[in-house]
Amino acid sequence: MADARKDWAHQRSTVIIRENQAVFVEDLCVTGLARTRLAKSVHDAGWGMFTRLLEEKAARYGRTFVKVNRFFPSSQLCSVCGRVDGPKPLSVRTWSCPCGAVHDRDLNAAINIHAAGRAEWLNACGETVSLLA
Ligand SMILES: [Zn+2]
């Protein structure tokens, strides 16, 4: 069983790295991925092992790999206006921002992780970007 999981994680991570120029993951916290097609890998293969594989393969294939800090408030930040709306219990699946946006918790978090990962990536390339721009 453990070997089957490992094989699967290897195959999935190879496909992801081949198909994407850049991969952004949230360190430890998996809220942004829990309801995507990656959910199975997150829960079955072990997130730590999976992100390690992604990181190794990104390096091998010359892809960008960015880990977003686990303290980044991805589920609290409005991906439309940038307001930080405060902590939300996990039971809160959707929420509305005063700006009028209505968010699916996981989708909003995934958008924020992508934006934060991109911002860190561009910063590493010497460009100045604002996360909230
Ligand atoms: Zn908003």
Side-chain angles (χ1 to χ4, degrees):
M1 191 56 208
D3 277 353
R5 281 182 187 173
K6 223 187 233 172
D7 282 356
W8 192 87
H10 264 289
Q11 283 164 17
R12 275 316 296 165
S13 57
T14 298
V15 169
I16 289 167
I17 294 297
R18 282 208 183 123
E19 290 178 353
N20 298 279
Q21 270 308 316
V23 176
F24 308 116
V25 303
E26 189 173 32
D27 187 19
L28 194 66
C29 180
V30 296
T31 51
L33 296 168
R35 285 204 281 168
T36 69
R37 63 199 177 98
L38 293 181
K40 197 167 161 40
S41 66
V42 171
H43 297 302
D44 290 0
W47 184 239
M49 178 179 83
F50 194 65
T51 57
R52 263 198 312 283
L53 286 171
L54 283 172
E55 193 165 13
E56 285 168 18
K57 289 175 187 183
R60 199 181 313 156
Y61 289 91
R63 304 297 202 236
T64 299
F65 179 90
V66 180
K67 221 183 232 182
V68 175
N69 191 293
R70 78 185 66 166
F71 299 112
F72 176 68
S74 59
S75 58
Q76 303 174 26
L77 184 68
C78 173
S79 60
V80 174
C81 72
R83 176 192 162 99
V84 177
D85 199 55
K88 303 182 190 326
L90 269 173
S91 57
V92 176
R93 305 315 305 169
T94 59
W95 56 280
S96 337
C97 178
C99 77
V102 179
H103 296 296
D104 173 281
R105 179 197 183 95
D106 294 334
L107 185 60
N108 180 63
I111 291 168
N112 286 329
I113 290 163
H114 182 255
R118 237 185 110 71
E120 283 189 32
W121 176 28
L122 295 175
N123 272 333
C125 297
E127 292 177 46
T128 307
V129 290
S130 164
L131 192 57
L132 304 181

